[in-house]
Amino acid sequence: MSENNDFRHEEQGYNNPENLYHFNYNEQHNTPLDPGWAEVPAAAKKPSFWQKAGVKVTALLLACAVVGGAAGYGGAALSSSGKTTIRQSNRTASEITVKQVSGQTLMSPAEVYASTVNSVVSINCSSVSTNIFGQSVQSASSGSGFIITQDGYIVTNHHVVSGASSVTVTLHDGREYPATVVGSDSDYDVAVLKINATDLQPVTLGNSSNVNVGDSVLAIGNPLGELTFSMSQGIVSCCDRAINVDGTPFNMIQVDASINPGNSGGPLMNLYGEVVGIVSAKYSSYSDTTVEGLGFAIPIGDVQAIITDIMENGQVTDKPSFGITAGTMTEQMAAHYQIEQKSGAFVYSVNKGGAGEKAGLRMGDVITKVDSTDIASMEDLTAAKKGHKAGDTVTVTYFRDGSSHTTSLTFDVKADDTVQDSQQGQQNQQGQQNQQDQQNGGNSFGSLYDYFFGRG
């Protein structure tokens, strides 16, 4: 009875409205406590299937097995996705062998590089000039070149070494040599250097006339003056591309290989390892349009005789000359003087006793072809001389009195290789030209020259 009274006190405390911690069920349902209330034990329930001890153990074991398996699978998945796996190839790399360049063995670009890089050099120049304040200013420039003989003759561009007070050549193995400029020629943009070294590996010259559009070519050089002995690859985009570099016409090999400042003077090679050109110029922009993939190289066949001449004589001694003063024929000239031929190289005068006079050329002739090369301008005529030397004979096609004629012309030796046939030569002949115009009754080829070349 005592226990029941205690329980009733607890129950009254549980249902006390003042008790903030418990819910008052009786107050909620408005049911007063029954003074005679007594706890009635709950009826015993029959154990369920899952409450049996054996089933519980078995279920526990199965659950452990399932969880363990899932954990193993998940761990494996986590291991494969949560960690970086490095895969290592076991392929054996192809061995690059150095081959003898004979012009008979087709090579991969890697083999060409390995077989010829020891023939390429880096060129660094320094020059000293005086500024407007009378102070000495030193400047530096860089370029590329290639060894042409075992005893140290090196070919590069004229513009690479022009004005240099000192020239240093660096070989692929790191050796440096002071170099002497044997000679150079601005018309061909070629120069020959000499270093005091022996047993060097020279290049093998190829035949640039065999180059075709689409041929793979390689340029090895010193781009930007610091990325020494870099190679770039491309194809020939055009053969005999006529371009004008600082007023000098060239027929170049156009390529899409990457060519940058510092590449000038380096070799352009085919896949036989032969040098087919001298990298010379790059168009980086045209007007306001930025362009890429336009590199140029001088065909080696156009300058091979010049290189030999410089090596033997220190200068170009047999530079060819037509022995005439000429300029570009234009449509305006043709219309003014009623000449049917509207393009070509117009002959202003013929040097007395020179190659042109001996060939029968006269003032007023318009040269339209040299051998099989069409001539549309004075630049074309100048370019047509390249690849020839004094004493060579060519066939000249010219327009006179309404019809075409041909003659054989044997080149003279050009006395002054700085005079352009279409510029200073014309000025030197101007006095004689004016006299001839007066004798011809005012048939003013001289005044025509004044109009088109700015003479007042």
Side-chain angles (χ1 to χ4, degrees):
M1 188 65 183
S2 171
E3 293 179 356
N4 290 338
N5 289 334
D6 293 339
F7 181 81
R8 288 296 300 268
H9 290 307
E10 291 177 5
E11 184 65 16
Q12 290 175 2
Y14 179 86
N15 292 279
N16 188 349
E18 300 298 325
N19 190 341
L20 301 179
Y21 299 98
H22 299 284
F23 178 73
N24 190 339
Y25 180 85
N26 291 316
E27 182 179 359
Q28 182 75 12
H29 294 276
N30 297 317
T31 303
L33 290 175
D34 184 2
W37 181 88
E39 182 180 6
V40 179
K45 295 183 179 180
K46 186 178 180 181
S48 67
F49 173 81
W50 295 104
Q51 292 175 322
K52 294 181 180 179
V55 175
K56 290 183 179 180
V57 173
T58 303
L60 179 62
L61 293 176
L62 290 175
C64 290
V66 171
V67 172
Y73 176 80
L78 181 62
S79 175
S80 62
S81 62
K83 295 182 179 180
T84 301
T85 302
I86 299 176
R87 302 179 63 185
Q88 179 67 47
S89 171
N90 59 0
R91 179 183 64 86
T92 302
S94 300
E95 183 177 354
I96 303 301
T97 58
V98 176
K99 298 183 178 180
Q100 182 70 31
V101 178
S102 62
Q104 306 299 318
T105 303
L106 184 66
M107 293 181 275
S108 68
E111 290 173 332
V112 171
Y113 182 85
S115 302
T116 62
V117 69
N118 287 321
S119 303
V120 182
V121 302
S122 172
I123 298 174
N124 292 286
C125 305
S126 63
S127 60
V128 179
S129 59
T130 303
N131 62 18
I132 59 175
F133 303 105
Q135 300 170 326
S136 295
V137 179
Q138 188 169 3
S139 60
S141 61
S142 300
S144 306
F146 55 90
I147 300 168
I148 197 169
T149 65
Q150 291 182 336
D151 57 348
Y153 282 97
I154 293 168
V155 174
T156 187
N157 284 142
H158 165 81
H159 74 262
V160 170
V161 297
S162 178
S165 56
S166 65
V167 180
T168 301
V169 168
T170 304
L171 305 184
H172 182 250
D173 61 10
R175 288 180 292 168
E176 291 187 356
Y177 295 91
T180 301
V181 179
V182 178
S184 65
D185 186 86
S186 60
D187 287 348
Y188 293 84
D189 196 20
V190 65
V192 177
L193 313 180
K194 180 68 170 63
I195 62 174
N196 187 19
T198 57
D199 297 326
L200 301 177
Q201 178 182 323
V203 299
T204 299
L205 301 183
N207 188 346
S208 54
S209 63
N210 292 337
V211 173
N212 298 304
V213 173
D215 286 353
S216 293
V217 286
L218 308 167
I220 304 177
N222 182 25
L224 307 183
E226 56 185 22
L227 304 178
T228 55
F229 305 101
S230 298
M231 183 174 75
S232 59
Q233 180 180 9
I235 63 169
V236 175
S237 304
C238 181
C239 300
D240 297 324
R241 174 69 75 190
I243 66 171
N244 191 292
V245 181
D246 296 331
T248 302
F250 289 89
N251 280 348
M252 297 270 200
I253 301 172
Q254 179 185 331
V255 300
D256 69 351
S258 297
I259 292 173
N260 294 279
N263 276 117
S264 290
L268 184 73
M269 299 180 177
N270 59 22
L271 291 184
Y272 291 88
E274 302 168 321
V275 175
V276 294
I278 305 173
V279 176
S280 181
K282 172 182 167 62
Y283 279 179
S284 59
S285 64
Y286 179 79
S287 185
D288 294 330
T289 303
T290 300
V291 297
E292 293 296 336
L294 286 177
F296 297 91
I298 302 170
I300 194 65
D302 289 357
V303 294
Q304 191 167 345
I306 300 297
I307 293 170
T308 301
D309 197 13
I310 294 175
M311 289 172 59
E312 294 176 351
N313 303 294
Q315 60 182 344
V316 181
T317 59
D318 57 357
K319 184 181 291 188
S321 172
F322 284 98
I324 62 174
T325 300
T328 298
M329 182 67 179
T330 66
E331 292 186 6
Q332 293 89 338
M333 294 168 63
H336 187 75
Y337 289 97
Q338 299 180 356
I339 300 174
E340 296 177 8
Q341 183 62 38
K342 299 179 179 179
S343 64
F346 183 86
V347 178
Y348 286 98
S349 66
V350 177
N351 298 340
K352 186 176 178 63
E357 184 182 66
K358 293 176 182 178
L361 296 177
R362 300 198 313 231
M363 180 187 67
D365 291 343
V366 181
I367 299 174
T368 59
K369 185 176 290 188
V370 175
D371 287 336
S372 60
T373 302
D374 291 331
I375 305 299
S377 65
M378 186 59 210
E379 286 76 13
D380 291 343
L381 186 66
T382 301
K385 295 186 301 182
K386 296 182 178 180
H388 294 286
K389 61 181 183 298
D392 289 349
T393 300
V394 295
T395 299
V396 175
T397 302
Y398 60 95
F399 186 87
R400 177 193 296 172
D401 297 332
S403 60
S404 292
H405 308 269
T406 60
T407 184
S408 294
L409 182 146
T410 301
F411 286 114
D412 285 336
V413 175
K414 191 172 184 179
D416 183 359
D417 61 7
T418 65
V419 176
Q420 296 269 340
D421 283 350
S422 62
Q423 297 177 4
Q424 291 175 314
Q426 291 172 338
Q427 298 174 10
N428 294 338
Q429 296 292 332
Q430 188 59 38
Q432 178 183 352
Q433 184 67 62
N434 290 336
Q435 294 178 0
Q436 292 174 341
D437 292 342
Q438 294 174 359
Q439 295 172 0
N440 290 334
N443 189 5
S444 55
F445 286 122
S447 62
L448 180 67
Y449 170 83
D450 293 343
Y451 176 78
F452 283 100
F453 290 89
R455 302 279 292 183

